[in-house]
Amino acid sequence: MPAAARKKPVKRRRSPIQSRGQATVDAIVEAAAQILARKGPAAATTNAVAARAGVSIGTLYQYFADREALLQEIGRRHVAEMQAVLADALTGIDGLALPAAVDRLVAAIVAMHRVAPRLHQALHQSLARDHLDTIDAFEVAVEAMVSQALAGRAELDLAHPALTATVLVRGLGGLIRTTLRREPERLDDPALALAMRAMILGTLGESRRRA
Amino acid sequence: MPAAARKKPVKRRRSPIQSRGQATVDAIVEAAAQILARKGPAAATTNAVAARAGVSIGTLYQYFADREALLQEIGRRHVAEMQAVLADALTGIDGLALPAAVDRLVAAIVAMHRVAPRLHQALHQSLARDHLDTIDAFEVAVEAMVSQALAGRAELDLAHPALTATVLVRGLGGLIRTTLRREPERLDDPALALAMRAMILGTLGESRRRA
DNA sequence: CGAGGATCTGAGCAAAGGCTCATTTTCTTT
DNA sequence: AAAGAAAATGAGCCTTTGCTCAGATCCTCG
């Protein structure tokens, strides 16, 4: 065994082969997500995560190259979950009349953010500047989806479907995120849902080709 | 001199008496803001700040109890600046007709975020969870202001001015922040301004008492 | 059963960063 | 000019945290 220059003596981030390994990985990710959601990014140290997951620090590093990788994995899972909720809440929306469709959309976007609000926030903080990629990609996808849906409704007669979609998605997203942070309980307020509805309908109406 | 229990041997955060001290404080705050804006919260270590400001760490701690205090001060100054820009961009808006007033509002909100976009972002990250208070308070104030302005226009006949204001302010804020982060250059796009205008007008129209 | 791979352990290293304080330098004031 | 207050210095203490590694333990399979 040549003691030559070896940068990575152990191949980190091994994929679990046995089911035991998979369980460990899940435990780690869940523990991290919990700490992240409850106490914020700063509290989510690798040692704390390992401790909460009930494994040793060494085990954690067997599956994740570094802290970043762990955070990214959490982001990936979170986005997948949101996507699932969104897709589910949106099935069959194309068949609905406009007002009903908008109600569904509002409900869907709210539901999507309700999956793991605290975690969502924490991720937006800790991943920011670095790997918001995952979340960004998702948001871009959502915008594209909505753009598509809008363009499909000739009745709307939008001048710039993509632009309208961007404004709506980012606007609603920001509104919900801010509300979530400052007045979490208010997300249940029916009045807010109505206001969002008004915002969407109004924006759509005002964005028609000739208006 | 009784060597009793002295928790704070030196009264930190002394207010500068001589002009020299004030200059030092400014230098520190500016250095910190710069690092924060250019390299993010993680790079804004107290040592780095002191170095960039051209003073020793000891001096930094003479004026700021701890890192947090420094960040808070930056937040305070930033908010003050935004407020000034906003107020300036909004003077005389009450005398304008609705469409013109909306254009002004859009311009004002964009201008306000353009003051120090990167810093604004960094603050939202680093202060989050702890001292977003300063920024939050400002945003609340803006909402109140807009609510006031909306209620003042009988022509709008809004059912819930405060709610509408909340939706508009948070929505626009989120939209701008997201855009700033992902496509900074796009803030100059006239099409986006038009879209925002459409959003505002549409939302207002759809939020009337009877609509 | 037993070899060999997969998994797990945890003390502790090294780096980083917040912060202190004894001392020196500069300014003000009489 | 000289004392005393204000301001500034910076080596380094101390804590925290990401991460390594040498070895122990657990599983699977022939």
Side-chain angles (χ1 to χ4, degrees):
Chain A
M1 66 291 282
R6 309 203 92 227
K7 275 346 178 34
K8 311 217 168 182
V10 180
K11 188 74 167 276
R12 260 63 211 291
R13 180 83 235 240
R14 95 185 309 149
S15 304
I17 305 264
Q18 309 173 355
S19 66
R20 165 171 70 136
Q22 186 55 54
T24 300
V25 170
D26 288 347
I28 292 172
V29 173
E30 266 164 50
Q34 251 183 61
I35 297 178
L36 219 46
R38 293 194 195 166
K39 307 196 184 162
T45 67
T46 53
N47 283 292
V49 169
R52 172 163 215 118
V55 303
S56 78
I57 186 65
T59 297
L60 188 155
Y61 279 97
Q62 193 119 48
Y63 296 108
F64 298 95
D66 50 30
R67 199 183 106 111
E68 267 315 308
L70 174 55
L71 292 182
Q72 273 181 272
E73 175 61 23
I74 294 176
R76 239 172 274 132
R77 293 195 183 195
H78 176 62
V79 160
E81 225 176 323
M82 285 185 81
Q83 195 151 31
V85 169
L86 184 65
D88 182 68
L90 246 42
T91 48
I93 197 177
D94 285 321
L96 297 177
L98 191 58
V102 169
D103 285 342
R104 273 286 268 292
L105 179 62
V106 169
I109 292 192
V110 171
M112 173 177 92
H113 280 89
R114 214 197 280 289
V115 167
R118 312 272 297 168
L119 176 61
H120 191 248
Q121 235 185 275
L123 282 175
H124 254 275
Q125 277 179 47
S126 48
L127 295 186
R129 213 124 209 153
D130 295 321
H131 316 270
L132 260 183
D133 316 12
T134 313
I135 290 188
D136 273 356
F138 174 56
E139 290 180 2
V140 167
V142 172
E143 280 183 30
M145 229 178 73
V146 172
S147 171
Q148 198 77 11
L150 292 182
R153 288 188 181 258
E155 16 157 354
L156 290 177
D157 190 36
L158 293 176
H160 309 289
L163 185 56
T164 302
T166 292
V167 169
L168 283 180
V169 171
R170 294 186 192 179
L172 284 175
L175 165 59
I176 291 180
R177 248 174 272 133
T178 301
T179 302
L180 218 39
R181 183 164 59 74
R182 296 222 299 261
E183 314 168 284
E185 73 290 351
R186 202 167 170 194
L187 265 204
D188 294 312
D189 187 349
L192 190 65
L194 280 181
M196 284 194 261
R197 198 181 109 108
M199 173 187 144
I200 298 177
L201 287 175
T203 303
L204 290 178
E206 202 69 29
S207 304
R208 273 171 307 185
R209 205 178 301 271
R210 48 191 158 292
Chain B
M1 63 292 281
R6 311 202 91 227
K7 276 342 177 38
K8 311 215 168 184
V10 180
K11 188 73 166 281
R12 260 63 213 288
R13 178 82 234 236
R14 96 184 309 147
S15 307
I17 306 262
Q18 310 173 355
S19 66
R20 162 172 73 135
Q22 185 55 56
T24 301
V25 169
D26 289 345
I28 292 171
V29 174
E30 267 163 51
Q34 250 182 62
I35 298 179
L36 219 46
R38 293 192 195 167
K39 307 195 184 162
T45 68
T46 53
N47 283 291
V49 169
R52 171 162 217 120
V55 303
S56 74
I57 339 101
T59 296
L60 188 156
Y61 279 97
Q62 191 119 48
Y63 296 108
F64 298 94
D66 51 29
R67 199 183 105 110
E68 267 314 309
L70 175 55
L71 292 182
Q72 272 182 272
E73 175 62 22
I74 295 176
R76 241 173 273 130
R77 294 195 182 196
H78 176 61
V79 161
E81 226 177 321
M82 284 184 83
Q83 196 150 30
V85 169
L86 184 65
D88 182 67
L90 246 42
T91 49
I93 197 176
D94 285 321
L96 298 176
L98 192 58
V102 168
D103 285 342
R104 272 286 268 291
L105 180 62
V106 169
I109 292 193
V110 170
M112 172 176 93
H113 280 89
R114 216 198 277 291
V115 167
R118 309 273 296 170
L119 177 61
H120 190 249
Q121 237 184 276
L123 282 175
H124 253 277
Q125 276 178 48
S126 48
L127 294 186
R129 213 125 209 152
D130 295 321
H131 315 269
L132 261 183
D133 316 12
T134 313
I135 290 187
D136 273 356
F138 173 56
E139 290 179 2
V140 167
V142 171
E143 279 184 32
M145 229 178 74
V146 172
S147 171
Q148 199 76 13
L150 292 182
R153 289 187 179 259
E155 16 156 353
L156 290 177
D157 189 36
L158 293 176
H160 309 287
L163 186 56
T164 303
T166 292
V167 169
L168 282 180
V169 171
R170 294 186 192 180
L172 283 175
L175 166 58
I176 291 179
R177 247 174 273 132
T178 300
T179 303
L180 217 39
R181 184 165 58 73
R182 296 222 298 261
E183 313 168 285
E185 73 290 349
R186 202 166 170 193
L187 266 203
D188 295 311
D189 188 350
L192 189 65
L194 280 181
M196 285 193 261
R197 199 180 108 107
M199 173 187 144
I200 297 177
L201 287 174
T203 303
L204 289 178
E206 201 69 28
S207 303
R208 273 172 308 187
R209 204 178 300 271
R210 50 193 157 290

